[in-house]
Structure formats: structure tokens, C-alpha cells
Amino acid sequence: MQKVYNPQEVEDRLYKMWLEKKYFHAKIDYSKKPFTIVIPPPNITGQLHMGHALNNTIQDILIRFKRMQGYCALWVPGTDHASIATEAKIVEKMKEEGLTKEMIGREKFLERAWEWKRVYGGRIIEQLKKLGASCDWDRERFTMDEGLSNAVKEVFVRLYEKGLIYKGERMINWCPTCKTTISDAEVEYEEKKGKLWHIKYPAKDNSFFVVVATTRPETMLGDTAVAVNPNDERYKHLIGKTVVLPLVNREIPIIADEYVDMEFGTGVVKITPAHDPNDFEIGQRHNLPMIQVIDTKGYMNENAGKYAGQDRYEARKNIVNDLKELGLLVKEEDYTHNVGHCYRCSTVIEPLVSKQWFVKMKPLAEPAIRVVKEGKIKFIPERFEKIYFNWMENIKDWCISRQLWWGHRIPAYYCKDCDNMMVSREEVKVCSKCGSTNVYQDEDTLDTWFSSALWPFSTLGWPEETEDLKYFYPTDVLVTAYDIIFFWVARMIFSAVEHMGKEPFKYVLIHGIVRDAQGRKMSKSLGNGIDPLEIIEKYGADALRFTLVTGISPGNDTRFHMEKVEANRNFANKIWNAARFVIMNLDIDTNYKPDESKFTFNERWILSRLDTLIKEVTENLEKFEIGIAAQKLYDFIWDEFCDWYIEMSKPILYNKEAENNKEVQYVLLTVLTNVLKLLHPFMPFVTEEIYLNLPHSEESLVISKWPEPMGYNYVEDISVVEKLIELIRSIRNLRVEKNIPANIKPKVYIKTDDNSMIQQKQLWEIYVKKLANIEEVVASEDIPEDSVSLVLSWGVAYIKLKEIIDIEMELKRLTEERERLLKEVERSENLLGNQNFLQKAPQKVVNEEKEKYEKYKQMLKSVEDQLERIKSLR
């Protein structure tokens, strides 16, 4: 083994070996229990970021742990076609060439999209390999693979045949930049400062008017009513009458609807069924006409009269000015409200009425709510169930059609001759109604989440009844961030319950966001993003992985500190150095059978502590307490094993004639081998490299057996060692505090009633003398005069001052310190006695000087007392 661990030399070599030996490939074995995880498929536009690194490190820890426990562990990898994101990237690239989608046509555009997938689709997969992800790469899937595309068509047709998919004119969220619908879940709401305009709507004969308050005056051109609450005494007499719509001069009715909030604005609201989801519902209830005045590009259309062709915000400004001139603008006030933005491009979304494809959600949501309520699926932490229930219990029909070319094309076909619509798994070339061949397919594609909702079973071969599906489904745990609970988790649950009749996973393990050291979200705009690949290049994948999971707890955000990465790089080196020490002092192999009667308290202590560690780390991982498990491993390896057991083993290890020399070697090898196994899921590379350099009985840690407690629980020995460590630490701390040179070895006196320690006096000779660098330890009832006391949990240790300081040097130091303090006291007295200073200096400065004066006097007294004490020791 090299002197220093070099991850750059080790990681690629080991990963290549693991792949060549097919360690990650899960071969169906009915004698084993399956354990399955499906990867949240990253977008083919993506690059590994800290969120991916955390998410995939957690999955890898779980899959490596279960593989070592003897499960047939399958981690299914893959990527998502990410329709909106990918299409936007390709359009952007084409723009540089002076091309648009329309110029090259659908076929040529799709050729470019598949080429994009070929070039960039594998990039993030290669980056996951750099992280050490032990996915079954033989089973890698893509959401537009032929098999997954068949699953999408099968689901669409089944839901359509059940009446759960329909095409209808409904209010949708439209992104004018992406030029497509987006679902409710894809709208991000942001608090924005805007205006609330109060506008007069007069009666035809000017006998009365009502005032409406709106944040969007540009939509008023499409108003088809104004509404009041039926219980509002102010307006009851007006219900059924009409007003004239300003600027358009169209008469519209005053209607009553309980939706109207009497407290908002004036209690009168404009109703624009074509441009507001709530107005759409009111319009349906009251059979109001729908007049669309904004087009799909965000511009006013032909129904907007003189404002036609204007951008929606330009039209807003012009409409407000025209209302002012007509004397119809009552007032304008500042108003803060939530505005919906497209989650992809951040454009303000436009609610439009459009003919789109929808999934009826109520019948699908109910059984999906039930499986979580019945505990068949558990959220960790449990509090995230509230988000899930809140979304599912208030769910609206899901708009699944997108006006994009990249994605799964909707399997609906239309006859140009008789308008017949056909939904089919296979391509339709002849109309089923009139026999015409003049048939074309629906232009729209499906929402990306429609295909990723099927991921846990489509990746295993559904709708075919494959062996993989029978053995590995349902999966065990889904690891995801909390921001896609309704985007993805909810949709996977209702899709699986509907099509498989069984929930897709048993646990949903939620992790938080990786924030920067100041707690801010990492973003391009802040410039605070950290590239995980750069960290891997510099410090190694193990240091990054361990940094990401140490101290994390499910559902909570974590802060990323570069100092922690460096500390964990040092941790890898600490283990490496410990292993080199063990290897250099070994002359036994894994077949050696120890004589346990030759174990000292030291061996019994470390083996007992190892058993506890195995038990606790296993329990922590079973409960998904990954951060706690990581911390326990760190503390045991660094502190108990490296700093204490190895140091305490050296006197016997270096004495080849000692009768228990080989027993100590055996314990060193046993403890090191077991901690490498426990640490392997967290830090796979350094642990594997060490293991392969040690005497080992298994081929690789990847496929080795997870450690089990060996039955050591020597309570008395644990107590003795803990007391010894406490004594050694206390002496070491005193040496640092008093700056005692290494060549001074004081005598230590111990007063104790603890018989277990009195009986172990010989241990003091061996261990405390060496590790605390002292002359000897004496049990004594007589307390030496002029000594420093160290209070222990099991007694008191005393050290004579004479033995830990050079008296002449200390006298010189204290005399100099006294002179310095006398000068400070004198300076302060003079200043405080100066009336000019007291009158002119700010009170704060005077008070600070008084505090200094008192402090210097106290310090002077303390130094003079010490001087007297040291002089008496002469």
C-alpha cells in the first residue's frame, strides 16, 4: 500500500473491476429475498449537481447494505426524456443556426432530439458512475425506450376505455414561452408586487354603476358578467340587471354566486370565463359565453378590438390609460399577490380555455390515498404524508396533453372525412367508421410525468408479465426530495394501484435540499453552486459521499461546507494509515484461531464496542437513519479504534515474544475487516482498496457478508477502559493547558474507592505511563501539597506543581506579567483620574475603561498570588 491514499489512482480502476465482474447485476434467485430501488430518472439535459449526488449516495448506501445482507438487490438506473426541458434546449441550439421547429418540420426535429439524447443522454450516467453508484447498468432504461413507450400506450388506452381519460374544453395553464400547456403541479407561485385597479362598470342608462377590483385589467375585454355574493345586502337589488362593459360597450349581466368574497375589494368581481380558472367554473354554473382575448403567444387577439396584436402587458398599460381618460378608473392601489410562473422558464402563465386531454383524478386518487392511510406505503418522515394527502384530497383533473414534438405522442387518430376519433395501441391507418385512409395522429405529446408515473413497473417489463416484474415488484424504497411529492410520487402511487393492483414501493424516504454554507439554495443566479465532479476530482468520491450524508436526517435540508470535505478526505487517510499499520504488523492470516483466554481487557473492550457498533449501524440503516450511522462509524474508527485501541495494542504488538501477540493481531484484523464492511456502503472505494490489500476470505466487499454481532459484551472491561481513557485525556489536557514540555514526566497520584481500578494498577504502568507521558501512577490516600487536582468520575488524580513546571522560568514569566499589569493599572488610574477625559470622552469609552481597570486589578492580584505560591516552592 502507498503511504498516502490516492483516490484518483484507485476509483476508476476499482469501478471498472466491479463492472467487469458484474457485482451490481441482480440475478433472480428465489432462495433470496429481493430488494429493489428504482432511480429517480435524471433528465437527459442534466448534469450531476449536489441534489443528485445526495439522492444517489443515499440510494447507493441502501442498495450496498442490502446486497451485503444477502438480498438480491436491484437498483434500476435510467434517464427521463424530459420533454419541455429537452425541447427547449434543442430549440435554443437551432436558434444559433437561424432555424425554428416549423422550418425543419417534425421528422427532422425528432432526428435532432434523438441525436441530442445520444450525445448528452449518457453524460449524467457516466457522472453517477464517478460517484460510485452500484446500479445494475444491464437494466438501464429510458422513458422513450420501445418497452416503456408500449407501457405508456397501454395505460393511455386502458384509462380511455374506462372513461378516465377524456378530451374536453377546459381551463388550462398555458406557458406563452414554452408554447404548451402545463399541469397545476408545474405552476410555481411567487409573491409579486402589483396593482389593484378599481373600475366603474355603469348601467346602460347611467342610473347606477358598480365598481370591480382587478389585478388584470387586460382580461376585462373578455368579461361576460359581473358577480356579487347572493347574501351581500349592498347589491341584492342589482342581481339580474345589466351593466355596460367599459371600452367594449357590451351589455353583461350582474349574477349572484357564493364564490364571491364580500370582503375582497368592493364585493363585486368581473367574470372572465376564458381567462381565469375560478371564473371558468362560475361561467359553467351560469352558462356564460367564453370570449378569449389573449392568444397562445401572450398577445391580444382579434377579440380585443383596438388592442389586438399588443403584448398582454402593453395592453394592460394602454387599457388603464384609456379608463383614466374616460373617468372610469376609480383608484389604483399597491397590491401583493401570488402569481403563477412556468416551472421551466419562469414565464408568467396564462390561464386559457383550450381543448386538451385530461385524466379524471378523483377515481384514481381515492385508492391511492387509502394505501397510505392503511400504512401500505410509509413516508419517512411521516409529516410529509400531510403534503401528499393535501394534494390528493384536493386534486383536479390532470391536463396531460402538451403542444410539443419531443415526447410520447398521444395515441389518438382522427378521420378527416368523417371526424371519427380512434384511440389505439397500434398505429391506425384506416378509419374504423367509414373505412377512409385519410387518417392522421394527434399532434400533441403527453406530459413527461405521464411516462415517469409508470417507472416502478414499466422499467421491469410491464405490460409484459416478465420474470423481473414477478420477482422484483413491488419495489422497496423510493428516495426523493420533498419538492416532487405531487409531481412524481403521487402519480406513481395512483398509477401503480390502478394498473398493478399493488402499491409501487413500501417506503418513500424524503431527503432535504443541499444548501450552501450560509444556508442559501444553490443557484446559478447566486453563483453559489458547487460542482460535485470537481470535488470528486480533487478529494475523491468517498470524501464527497461521506460529507453529504454525515449528520443528515430525513426530510431536513443540509448545509455543504468545504471544510467537511477536507475533514472527510483526512478521515479516509486516517483509515488508510491505520490499515497500513495493521498490515505491517501482521504475520497471521484469516484462518488463525485465537485463544480467547489470552485476550486482555483491551481486546475484550474493543470487541465489545465493535459488537455494539455493528448492532447500532445495522439498526440505523434499517430505520433509514443514515446520518446517525455515518457519525457512529466516524467516531468509532477515528476515536476508539485508531486513537485508543491501536495505540494501546502497540506494547504487545511490538513485542513478538509476548504470549498474546497473535491474539492482538487477530483482534486488529477482525476489527479492521468489520469496520471496512460497515463503512463500505458509505465510502466504497477506500474500503475496497484496503480490504483487497488485507488478508481476506471474500472476493470483494461489494458481495461480502454484512457483519453480525459476535456475542462480545464484557461490561467490566468496557468500564475499565473508559476510566483509563478518562484519566489519560485529563492528563493530556493538563499538559496542553500548562504547556508542559514532552521531556517533563510528572508522577501522578490517584485517590479512589473504585476497587475495579485499584485491582488494575498494572494497567496504569503499561498504558497511562506511555499514552500520557508520565513517570508513574501511584494509588495514594495522601494528597501531595501544592498539587493540581484532576477530578475524575471514579476518583481524583493529583500532580505536584514542582513536577510540571520549571520554577525559575515560571517566576520569570510571572514577574514580567506583573510588571506589565502594574503599568496597565497605573495607565488606567491616571486616565480615570483625568477630569478632561471623564467630561469629553463618550460615556461608552469611559465605561469600557472602568471595566478594563477592574479587570487589570483582578489579573494583577491573581498573578501576585501565583508568584507567592511559586516562591514558597523554592
Side-chain angles (χ1 to χ4, degrees), residues 444-630:
D444 289 353
T445 54
L446 286 161
D447 179 8
T448 299
W449 300 101
F450 191 91
S451 52
S452 52
L454 319 179
W455 189 251
F457 51 95
S458 63
T459 52
L460 296 172
W462 189 90
E464 303 299 320
E465 189 65 30
T466 63
E467 289 302 307
D468 273 7
L469 191 65
K470 283 190 269 187
Y471 182 71
F472 289 111
Y473 188 88
T475 71
D476 289 85
V477 57
L478 178 83
V479 181
T480 187
Y482 51 67
D483 54 352
I484 56 170
I485 288 174
F486 39 79
F487 275 120
W488 190 43
V489 180
R491 288 168 177 166
M492 280 190 287
I493 294 173
F494 70 66
S495 298
V497 172
E498 170 66 21
H499 302 293
M500 297 297 296
K502 198 156 182 60
E503 57 282 354
F505 25 72
K506 301 179 186 84
Y507 298 98
V508 181
L509 176 58
I510 305 286
H511 61 77
I513 292 168
V514 183
R515 297 184 178 275
D516 71 7
Q518 293 167 252
R520 300 173 301 172
K521 198 171 179 177
M522 291 185 183
S523 68
K524 281 180 188 172
S525 58
L526 287 173
N528 62 345
I530 298 167
D531 185 352
L533 293 168
E534 286 180 16
I535 304 283
I536 291 170
E537 190 59 41
K538 189 172 180 183
Y539 297 102
D542 289 331
L544 173 65
R545 288 166 63 114
F546 209 71
T547 299
L548 286 168
V549 298
T550 310
I552 63 162
S553 57
N556 293 331
D557 292 351
T558 180
R559 292 189 181 194
F560 190 86
H561 298 268
M562 283 306 300
E563 297 80 6
K564 276 177 72 179
V565 182
E566 288 172 11
N568 288 319
R569 186 264 319 270
N570 296 342
F571 178 51
N573 282 326
K574 181 88 168 176
I575 304 160
W576 184 262
N577 291 334
R580 287 184 76 247
F581 169 79
V582 172
I583 289 167
M584 286 190 292
N585 288 283
L586 276 186
D587 53 29
I588 62 164
D589 61 23
T590 54
N591 296 317
Y592 181 75
K593 297 285 182 280
D595 179 352
E596 293 194 12
S597 68
K598 292 181 181 176
F599 287 170
T600 69
F601 73 100
N602 210 2
E603 284 68 60
R604 291 191 292 270
W605 164 69
I606 197 69
L607 289 170
S608 300
R609 293 293 302 126
L610 175 66
D611 262 15
T612 302
L613 180 74
I614 292 169
K615 185 169 169 285
E616 288 180 346
V617 168
T618 306
E619 284 173 1
N620 290 143
L621 289 178
E622 296 286 10
K623 291 191 283 187
F624 306 110
E625 292 167 345
I626 288 167
I628 296 172

Side-chain angles (χ1 to χ4, degrees), residues 216-245:
R216 302 195 64 206
E218 69 278 12
T219 64
M220 68 183 287
L221 308 176
D223 288 0
T224 53
V226 292
V228 297
N229 191 295
N231 302 312
D232 196 330
E233 295 296 337
R234 294 172 293 177
Y235 305 114
K236 271 186 177 178
H237 64 290
L238 296 178
I239 296 166
K241 294 187 177 184
T242 63
V243 288
V244 175
L245 178 62

Side-chain angles (χ1 to χ4, degrees), residues 636-653:
F636 177 89
I637 293 167
W638 190 290
D639 196 28
E640 293 179 285
F641 182 57
C642 294
D643 284 359
W644 291 108
Y645 181 70
I646 287 180
E647 291 306 312
M648 291 163 93
S649 71
K650 283 178 179 176
I652 294 170
L653 204 59

Side-chain angles (χ1 to χ4, degrees), residues 197-200 217-218 220-221 245-249 300 304-308 310 313-330 332:
W197 287 276
H198 294 251
I199 304 162
K200 272 186 196 176
E218 69 278 12
M220 68 183 287
L221 308 176
L245 178 62
L247 307 176
V248 179
N249 298 323
M300 307 307 286
K306 72 172 192 175
Y307 308 102
Q310 294 180 10
Y313 298 114
E314 182 193 353
R316 177 184 293 180
K317 209 182 333 174
N318 293 333
I319 286 167
V320 168
N321 287 335
D322 289 349
L323 289 168
K324 271 182 195 167
E325 281 182 26
L326 293 167
L328 295 173
L329 187 70
V330 178
E332 176 181 300

Side-chain angles (χ1 to χ4, degrees), residues 220-414:
M220 68 183 287
L221 308 176
D223 288 0
T224 53
V226 292
V228 297
N229 191 295
N231 302 312
D232 196 330
E233 295 296 337
R234 294 172 293 177
Y235 305 114
K236 271 186 177 178
H237 64 290
L238 296 178
I239 296 166
K241 294 187 177 184
T242 63
V243 288
V244 175
L245 178 62
L247 307 176
V248 179
N249 298 323
R250 184 174 69 244
E251 269 191 274
I252 56 174
I254 299 172
I255 61 169
D257 196 284
E258 290 199 340
Y259 166 76
V260 180
D261 179 0
M262 291 188 279
E263 303 299 316
F264 175 76
T266 61
V268 184
V269 294
K270 59 193 272 314
I271 304 299
T272 323
H275 290 286
D276 182 277
N278 297 312
D279 292 5
F280 176 80
E281 298 296 336
I282 293 170
Q284 295 286 294
R285 286 197 288 274
H286 296 271
N287 294 314
L288 296 174
M290 285 190 292
I291 300 170
Q292 193 168 318
V293 294
I294 301 173
D295 69 15
T296 55
K297 292 176 183 173
Y299 286 83
M300 307 307 286
N301 67 12
E302 66 281 1
N303 293 330
K306 72 172 192 175
Y307 308 102
Q310 294 180 10
D311 171 82
R312 53 187 169 161
Y313 298 114
E314 182 193 353
R316 177 184 293 180
K317 209 182 333 174
N318 293 333
I319 286 167
V320 168
N321 287 335
D322 289 349
L323 289 168
K324 271 182 195 167
E325 281 182 26
L326 293 167
L328 295 173
L329 187 70
V330 178
K331 65 173 176 175
E332 176 181 300
E333 57 186 357
D334 292 333
Y335 186 69
T336 302
H337 59 137
N338 279 330
V339 178
H341 294 73
C342 172
Y343 82 119
R344 280 292 173 197
C345 68
S346 298
T347 302
V348 173
I349 62 114
E350 189 60 55
L352 294 177
V353 172
S354 176
K355 200 164 192 180
Q356 301 287 344
W357 288 92
F358 294 88
V359 176
K360 257 186 212 170
M361 284 311 308
K362 286 284 180 201
L364 293 168
E366 283 161 13
I369 290 167
R370 197 164 53 246
V371 292
V372 177
K373 285 197 167 163
E374 289 171 358
K376 289 176 182 172
I377 296 175
K378 287 185 167 65
F379 279 75
I380 297 161
E382 196 179 332
R383 69 177 187 270
F384 286 98
E385 286 181 8
K386 284 180 188 168
I387 295 173
Y388 175 78
F389 290 137
N390 186 46
W391 173 256
M392 294 295 270
E393 285 163 0
N394 297 289
I395 203 158
K396 292 177 182 170
D397 286 358
W398 174 20
C399 178
I400 54 170
S401 43
R402 298 288 180 270
Q403 288 62 55
L404 300 165
W405 287 352
W406 175 240
H408 294 99
R409 199 162 168 182
I410 288 172
Y413 301 82
Y414 307 91

Side-chain angles (χ1 to χ4, degrees), residues 82-122:
S83 53
I84 291 182
T86 307
E87 186 150 319
K89 291 268 187 190
I90 299 162
V91 167
E92 204 179 301
K93 202 161 186 290
M94 284 167 53
K95 206 173 175 183
E96 293 167 15
E97 302 171 46
L99 296 173
T100 65
K101 282 165 64 177
E102 292 69 26
M103 284 165 73
I104 65 169
R106 189 170 194 140
E107 290 306 313
K108 291 285 182 193
F109 180 81
L110 290 177
E111 281 175 21
R112 282 176 176 254
W114 280 105
E115 178 61 16
W116 175 281
K117 192 264 171 189
R118 191 189 66 76
V119 174
Y120 297 105

Side-chain angles (χ1 to χ4, degrees), residues 593-739:
K593 297 285 182 280
D595 179 352
E596 293 194 12
S597 68
K598 292 181 181 176
F599 287 170
T600 69
F601 73 100
N602 210 2
E603 284 68 60
R604 291 191 292 270
W605 164 69
I606 197 69
L607 289 170
S608 300
R609 293 293 302 126
L610 175 66
D611 262 15
T612 302
L613 180 74
I614 292 169
K615 185 169 169 285
E616 288 180 346
V617 168
T618 306
E619 284 173 1
N620 290 143
L621 289 178
E622 296 286 10
K623 291 191 283 187
F624 306 110
E625 292 167 345
I626 288 167
I628 296 172
Q631 193 60 54
K632 282 179 179 169
L633 279 164
Y634 182 92
D635 293 343
F636 177 89
I637 293 167
W638 190 290
D639 196 28
E640 293 179 285
F641 182 57
C642 294
D643 284 359
W644 291 108
Y645 181 70
I646 287 180
E647 291 306 312
M648 291 163 93
S649 71
K650 283 178 179 176
I652 294 170
L653 204 59
Y654 292 157
N655 178 8
K656 291 293 177 188
E657 303 306 312
E659 64 166 350
N660 59 340
N661 177 276
K662 283 192 166 40
E663 274 61 35
V664 170
Q665 289 186 47
Y666 167 83
V667 171
L668 279 167
L669 181 58
T670 299
V671 176
L672 180 57
T673 301
N674 278 283
V675 295
L676 289 174
K677 287 185 174 192
L678 294 171
L679 188 62
H680 177 71
F682 300 84
M683 302 178 85
F685 293 106
V686 68
T687 51
E688 178 81 322
E689 184 69 1
I690 292 170
Y691 183 75
L692 296 177
N693 278 282
L694 280 175
H696 55 279
S697 55
E698 292 168 286
E699 192 180 315
S700 160
L701 282 181
V702 181
I703 53 168
S704 67
K705 191 172 180 295
W706 184 256
E708 289 179 5
M710 294 166 280
Y712 294 109
N713 187 24
Y714 293 100
V715 179
E716 286 181 15
D717 295 292
I718 293 171
S719 174
V720 164
V721 175
E722 284 175 354
K723 288 170 184 175
L724 269 179
I725 288 171
E726 184 189 5
L727 173 60
I728 294 163
R729 274 200 179 121
S730 298
I731 298 167
R732 283 177 173 177
N733 290 343
L734 181 73
R735 295 190 74 101
V736 171
E737 187 190 315
K738 296 290 182 186
N739 201 20

